[in-house]
């Protein structure tokens, strides 16, 4: 059995690789963190995360950075899952470092139905102290990205890495599966497609003009329908790009780019008029970095979005024996 090893900010990631080429587990080992037994860091400060392969096969899997600090945004979670599924994602993989009790119930329900896979993500050291990150960047996000790569590489054709406030939006087809297969016919040597980002401002007022599902959008706090003010131009490729990739063509993945490709494959950079990332930023960018426009892309799918989300809310309330108020406040 070989060993795939990579060092990420503040930690070594060790992936034992069996003869078939797929790691059986991922071990996170703290780097430069004091222990009671110097030189024995792997035993005293390491954690092994089981990487048992899922039985199902998928077309597109979305991997989410570790949810942390008792994540409690129920409305955001449900909207994220259902809109991603509408866009063509089959499965959302959630790394659970710390969530609230009610988010845990929502994840239990969605996991039961095979909509999400929840991966426990307990780190062997404190990841956030005194208002800043210590020992490892952003709760081990890079480790989670690569865990997802190797955990699902033999079970899915494509993977996307996105935050809970990001959506990959294909301009024409409206479906990532159709879009990425078309791209591969045009770029047969591509391992990944790198995408620019638009910023949409969650802190600005809701869309001012009437649209048919407006009341439901307000009830369920749907940012994809309510927050339509975005930057006129995308950010450049060097700032916050995201990507969709073929895990069988990739050796290691970063947050915004592929770090290692298999031989003869490379990343393809996609023009913003073909496919982009919609990033719903709650933090203010002063001033709007490159002007702003009204973008109602998701209004074209408003009935589908609302129907999916209403159905998911009903299922969760029934199975968890909770009221809408319990889940929403």
């Amino acid at each position: 059995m070989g060993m795939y090893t990579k060092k990420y900010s503040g930690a070594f990631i060790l992936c034992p690789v069996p003869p078939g080429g797929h790691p059986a587990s991922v071990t996170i080992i703290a780097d430069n963190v004091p222990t009671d037994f110097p030189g024995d860091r792997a035993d005293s400060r390491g954690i092994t995360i089981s990487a048992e392969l899922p039985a199902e096969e998928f077309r597109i899997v979305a991997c989410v950075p570790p949810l942390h600090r008792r994540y409690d945004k129920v409305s955001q979670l449900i909207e994220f899952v259902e809109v991603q599924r509408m866009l063509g994602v089959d499965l959302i993989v959630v790394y659970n470092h710390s969530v609230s009790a009610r988010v845990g119930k929502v994840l239990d329900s969605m996991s039961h139905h095979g909509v999400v896979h929840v991966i426990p993500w307990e780190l062997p050291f404190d990841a956030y102290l005194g208002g800043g990150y210590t020992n490892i960047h952003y709760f081990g996000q890079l480790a989670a990205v690569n865990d997802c790569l190797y955990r699902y590489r033999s079970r899915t054709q494509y993977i996307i890495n996105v935050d809970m406030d990001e959506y990959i939006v294909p301009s024409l087809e409206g479906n990532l599966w159709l879009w990425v297969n078309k791209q591969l016919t045009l770029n047969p040597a591509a391992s990944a497609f790198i995408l620019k980002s638009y910023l949409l401002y969650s802190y600005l007022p809701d869309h001012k003009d009437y649209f048919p599902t407006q009341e439901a959008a307000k009830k369920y706090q749907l940012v994809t329908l309510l927050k339509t003010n975005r930057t006129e131009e995308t950010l450049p490729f060097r700032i916050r790009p995201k990507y969709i990739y073929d895990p069988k063509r990739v050796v290691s993945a970063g947050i915004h780019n592929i770090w290692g490709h298999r031989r003869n494959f490379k990343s393809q950079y996609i023009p913003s008029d073909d496919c982009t990332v919609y990033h719903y930023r709650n933090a203010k960018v002063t001033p709007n970095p490159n002007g702003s426009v009204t973008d109602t892309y998701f209004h074209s799918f408003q009935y589908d979005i609302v129907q999916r989300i209403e159905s998911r809310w009903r299922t969760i309330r029934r199975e968890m024996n909770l009221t809408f108020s319990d889940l929403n406040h």
Side-chain angles (χ1 to χ4, degrees):
M1 178 178 291
M3 185 77 71
Y4 167 74
T5 307
K6 188 74 177 179
K7 181 180 180 182
Y8 299 108
S9 302
F12 288 95
I13 313 304
L14 305 180
C15 306
V17 182
H22 302 291
S25 64
V26 175
T27 300
I28 301 176
I29 304 172
D31 180 34
N32 296 325
V33 178
T35 73
D36 295 331
F37 304 94
D40 197 20
R41 212 165 45 224
D43 290 335
S44 61
R45 304 292 290 187
I47 179 172
T48 298
I49 302 157
S50 172
E52 296 179 3
L53 294 176
E56 310 95 322
E57 293 188 357
F58 309 96
R59 297 187 303 180
I60 301 177
V61 168
C63 303
V64 180
L67 301 183
H68 57 273
R69 302 177 73 190
R70 292 190 58 78
Y71 175 85
D72 193 41
K73 299 178 181 180
V74 173
S75 294
Q76 182 190 56
L77 172 62
I78 294 175
E79 179 180 18
F80 175 84
V81 168
E82 292 303 326
V83 174
Q84 295 290 358
R85 282 161 54 81
M86 184 197 75
L87 290 169
V89 174
D90 298 314
L91 176 75
I92 287 82
V93 180
V94 175
Y95 288 83
N96 178 10
H97 181 269
S98 173
V99 301
S100 68
R102 61 181 181 176
V103 165
K105 291 180 181 294
V106 171
L107 289 174
D108 286 344
S109 175
M110 292 194 289
S111 179
H112 174 73
H113 290 279
V115 175
V116 304
H117 285 176
V118 180
I119 312 297
W121 196 249
E122 297 182 7
L123 299 175
F125 40 73
D126 291 321
Y128 193 87
L129 288 174
Y133 301 109
T134 62
N135 304 325
I136 195 167
H137 171 69
Y138 203 71
F139 302 91
Q141 181 180 3
L142 279 170
V145 164
N146 285 276
D147 174 86
C148 203
L149 160 61
Y150 281 95
R151 187 185 296 265
Y152 291 93
R153 66 176 306 174
S154 67
R155 291 296 185 266
T156 187
Q157 295 190 47
Y158 306 108
I159 293 176
I160 62 175
N161 295 311
V162 286
D163 293 343
M164 294 291 293
D165 56 1
E166 294 175 327
Y167 300 89
I168 294 179
V169 175
S171 300
L172 296 178
E173 290 86 354
N175 183 288
L176 281 172
W177 173 251
L178 298 177
W179 181 85
V180 72
N181 280 293
K182 176 182 175 181
Q183 290 300 315
L184 276 178
T185 63
L186 300 174
N187 305 281
S191 59
F193 301 101
I194 313 298
L195 309 165
K196 292 182 178 181
S197 294
Y198 283 119
L199 300 182
L200 293 94
Y201 305 110
S202 299
Y203 63 87
L204 292 180
D206 293 346
H207 185 72
K208 62 181 180 180
D209 296 328
Y210 170 80
F211 58 95
T213 60
Q214 194 168 50
E215 290 306 311
K218 290 180 179 180
K219 176 181 179 180
Y220 296 109
Q221 304 172 35
L222 306 181
V223 297
T224 51
L225 299 181
L226 295 174
K227 303 303 180 180
T228 56
N229 186 286
R230 69 155 172 81
T231 51
E232 186 174 2
E233 299 176 3
T234 55
L235 299 175
F237 278 119
R238 69 179 184 277
I239 301 176
R240 296 182 180 274
K242 287 299 172 77
Y243 58 90
I244 180 169
Y245 71 100
D246 180 343
K248 298 177 185 65
R249 299 181 175 188
V250 167
V251 175
S252 60
I255 297 172
H256 298 291
N257 282 286
I258 297 298
W259 283 12
H261 308 267
R262 294 196 175 273
R263 183 176 296 178
N264 299 324
F265 295 109
K266 62 181 180 180
S267 292
Q268 183 73 33
Y269 291 81
I270 300 300
S272 57
D273 61 353
D274 194 353
C275 188
T276 55
V277 179
Y278 279 29
H279 185 176
Y280 291 85
R281 291 272 294 180
N282 198 38
K284 293 185 177 181
V285 181
T286 309
N288 292 352
N290 49 13
S292 62
V293 297
T294 298
D295 186 335
T296 57
Y297 174 89
F298 280 113
H299 284 194
S300 299
F301 310 98
Q302 60 182 293
Y303 294 107
D304 192 3
I305 291 173
V306 169
Q307 182 181 21
R308 287 170 176 271
I309 287 172
E310 286 182 335
S311 176
R312 182 61 56 193
W313 276 101
R314 285 195 299 269
T315 298
I316 292 168
R317 293 200 301 269
R318 180 180 67 251
E319 293 180 350
M320 298 294 108
N321 194 27
L322 296 169
T323 66
F324 181 78
S325 179
D326 291 333
L327 284 168
N328 205 41
H329 298 287

